Amino acid sequence: QVQLQESGPGLVKPSETLSLTCTVSGGSIGTYYWSWIRQAPGKGLEWIAHIYKSGTTNYNPALKSRVSMSVDTSKSQFSLNLRSVTAADTGVYYCARIEYSDLSYFFDVWGRGALVTVSS
Amino acid sequence: EIVLTQSPGTLSVSPGERATLSCRASESIRRSYLSWYQHKPGQAPRLLIHGTSRATGIPDRFSASGSGTDFTLSISRVEPEDSAVYYCQQYGGSLYSFGPGTKVEIK
């Protein structure tokens, strides 16, 4: 059974870079797309970005200028970098696996989430 | 960009009653492009339904329907454990978006 685990600093200073890593266990990282999704306090879910094993990425247009993803298949990990953070970037960050079925994509496996607070 | 809206914002139901949650898209989408998730506080969101197919382990009291711009998640006989926020999500143009969620409260 595939499991995902987020890791990274829980506190980031304003204007700095938020960096998170998701480790995939119990399955192959090579046959799926992988994604980051976040939830600000009291808000709904917001898709951030996705990546494939080849390194092909796609980003939420609202965050595209500040975000990047990378993948390390040898470590079964993928990562998120979000630059120039502000308090609005505070929230729980989830990594998730993207499944494909019937011409559509959806998030079928999720990590437990990592709380990141942006504060000086 | 396709925007999803959900209604009602909060739904209060008694155990055993039927709950009907609505998700409306700003433009027509394929039914298969619409998925539903359950999110409980402190937990990871859980995939309930993609298109009209229930995810593994999801009880058959959860069902989805709809087409075009209007979609519905139904819980046929609500149980106390169904207390959660429910999100719809769409995929299109290699982008994903979520609705704002419907909170289901159990009376």
Side-chain angles (χ1 to χ4, degrees):
Chain A
Q1 174 175 338
V2 175
Q3 293 186 314
L4 308 180
Q5 178 66 58
E6 303 89 349
S7 59
L11 181 63
V12 181
K13 290 182 168 57
S15 80
E16 295 191 344
T17 296
L18 179 160
S19 296
L20 293 171
T21 296
C22 183
T23 301
V24 180
S25 59
S28 172
I29 196 171
T31 53
Y32 292 91
Y33 284 82
W34 304 90
S35 189
W36 289 97
I37 296 154
R38 70 179 182 178
Q39 183 177 36
K43 303 293 186 180
L45 300 170
E46 179 182 31
W47 172 70
I48 301 171
H50 78 220
I51 193 166
Y52 191 55
K53 63 176 179 178
S54 61
T56 301
T57 54
N58 204 20
Y59 302 125
N60 184 326
L63 299 169
K64 189 173 185 176
S65 64
R66 299 193 292 128
V67 69
S68 62
M69 278 188 73
S70 60
V71 61
D72 186 337
T73 56
S74 67
K75 294 182 179 179
S76 289
Q77 294 179 332
F78 59 97
S79 299
L80 171 73
N81 281 331
L82 182 63
R83 298 177 292 276
S84 304
V85 297
T86 69
D89 296 308
T90 292
V92 178
Y93 286 72
Y94 298 97
C95 58
R97 187 178 77 173
I98 298 173
E99 176 62 281
Y100 171 79
S101 177
D102 193 17
L103 302 177
S104 187
Y105 295 87
F106 46 89
F107 309 99
D108 71 329
V109 181
W110 295 66
R112 296 177 65 88
L115 174 61
V116 179
T117 301
V118 178
S119 175
S120 55
Chain B
E1 179 188 352
I2 295 176
V3 177
L4 300 178
T5 56
Q6 291 186 246
S7 61
T10 301
L11 183 61
S12 185
V13 294
S14 298
E17 288 186 341
R18 183 181 188 87
T20 301
L21 289 66
S22 174
C23 176
R24 177 164 291 178
S26 58
E27 58 187 83
S28 182
I29 59 174
R30 293 173 60 105
R31 179 186 299 179
S32 63
Y33 285 11
L34 203 287
S35 300
W36 292 89
Y37 301 82
Q38 178 190 67
H39 193 195
K40 297 181 179 181
Q43 297 185 18
R46 179 171 72 151
L47 174 68
L48 292 176
I49 294 174
H50 55 93
T52 56
S53 300
R54 281 185 298 277
T56 302
I58 301 302
D60 61 7
R61 53 201 179 78
F62 289 92
S63 64
S65 62
S67 63
T69 60
D70 294 309
F71 299 88
T72 299
L73 174 71
S74 298
I75 312 173
S76 61
R77 298 170 304 280
V78 168
E79 297 188 2
E81 67 201 47
D82 298 333
S83 177
V85 178
Y86 293 82
Y87 294 96
C88 56
Q89 170 254 317
Q90 70 86 31
Y91 163 80
S94 298
L95 302 176
Y96 310 80
S97 59
F98 291 89
T102 290
K103 183 177 183 179
V104 172
E105 296 180 338
I106 310 300
K107 292 180 182 176

